[in-house]
Amino acid sequence: MRIVLVGAPGSGKGTQSENIVKKLGITHLATGDLLRAEVAAGTELGLKAKSVMDAGQLVSDDIVLGMIKARISKLENGFLLDGFPRNINQAQALDALLEEISQPIDKVIYFDVPFEVIKVRLLARGRSDDNEATIDKRGIVFEQETYPLLEYYTLQGKCTTVSGAGEIDQISENIFKALV
Ligand code: B4P
């Protein structure tokens, strides 16, 4: 199965991904995690990405698409994309890439979480991009760049909205129901 998770930073995509990939035996690809690994390794790409991430902005499409392309074509057992695509340009590039390898997306899950809930979670987490100014900026970037994906995938008949607020296990159960 090929799944895309769409949600604001802090909506719980990473948290839920762990449960989904374990249950379905598919590969988890999280662009946020891949970028943070580059930052931690101090690579040239990581150095470029760090200031952008700490400002709550999106890393350039070229960088993110390069990371995804290098990995996705090697996956045969399905995948879960977490945090990618993040804007319409990335979504169109992904569709083109998946068409080339005849592996279209099956389902898109949109995590609906009130911004105030996200803010409380992220301030408690305390990562370097979890300060109030960056959280607010990420919220604005999400509304402007990522939220339009909801319509993009709804028009393709692939999108289901799941509430991402509440108990982690209950949210997982609702996701599994949406994936059937
Ligand atoms: P992400 O990596 O997507 O952001 P995240 O904050 O890790 O969000 P996630 O939704 O995974 O939340 P999590 O489960 O950790 O993006 C970070 C940055 O990377 C972006 O701002 C951007 O700069 C860059 N980036 C990534 N992808 C990109 C792309 N495609 N293009 C360009 N730039 C890109 O949960 C958050 C917290 O809530 C955790 O502490 C968790 O324990 C807690 N939590 C989760 N579910 C909960 C629940 N139900 N109840 C209570 N707490 C919960």
Side-chain angles (χ1 to χ4, degrees):
M1 191 167 211
R2 294 171 292 274
I3 305 166
V4 169
L5 293 189
V6 177
S11 57
K13 303 182 300 293
T15 305
Q16 294 299 331
S17 292
E18 281 182 32
N19 290 346
I20 301 169
V21 297
K22 213 182 286 166
K23 181 154 174 153
L24 300 182
I26 57 180
T27 301
H28 180 202
L29 278 181
T31 40
D33 291 349
L34 294 173
L35 289 166
R36 283 185 287 277
E38 295 282 347
V39 172
T43 64
E44 197 181 324
L45 191 160
L47 290 176
K48 269 193 214 162
K50 182 166 177 19
S51 56
V52 179
M53 293 169 82
D54 282 346
Q57 304 277 5
L58 294 183
V59 174
S60 83
D61 289 350
D62 285 354
I63 289 183
V64 177
L65 285 167
M67 291 190 322
I68 287 289
K69 273 185 188 164
R71 290 168 173 85
I72 218 164
S73 52
K74 295 181 190 137
L75 303 176
E76 282 166 10
N77 297 329
F79 52 77
L80 173 73
L81 295 177
D82 156 6
F84 175 88
R86 207 79 160 202
N87 58 29
I88 298 287
N89 184 45
Q90 291 183 9
Q92 288 170 337
L94 175 65
D95 278 347
L97 173 66
L98 294 179
E99 199 174 305
E100 262 174 45
I101 56 174
S102 301
Q103 297 204 28
I105 293 162
D106 298 305
K107 294 266 185 185
V108 176
I109 303 289
Y110 168 66
F111 279 20
D112 190 15
V113 187
F115 185 63
E116 289 314 310
V117 173
I118 287 182
K119 216 164 175 174
V120 171
R121 286 182 187 173
L122 295 185
L123 288 173
R125 181 173 66 180
R127 214 166 63 190
S128 74
D129 56 347
D130 285 341
N131 59 77
E132 198 150 2
T134 301
I135 294 169
D136 286 346
K137 182 67 195 166
R138 287 154 77 186
I140 293 168
V141 169
F142 173 76
E143 290 293 330
Q144 293 176 342
E145 301 272 335
T146 311
Y147 190 73
L149 291 178
L150 201 57
E151 190 186 0
Y152 180 88
Y153 286 120
T154 298
L155 287 172
Q156 293 189 5
K158 293 181 177 171
C159 194
T160 305
T161 296
V162 170
S163 169
E167 294 294 321
I168 290 171
D169 287 348
Q170 183 58 53
I171 298 168
S172 296
E173 248 181 64
N174 293 340
I175 293 171
F176 293 133
K177 279 186 202 150
L179 289 176
V180 180

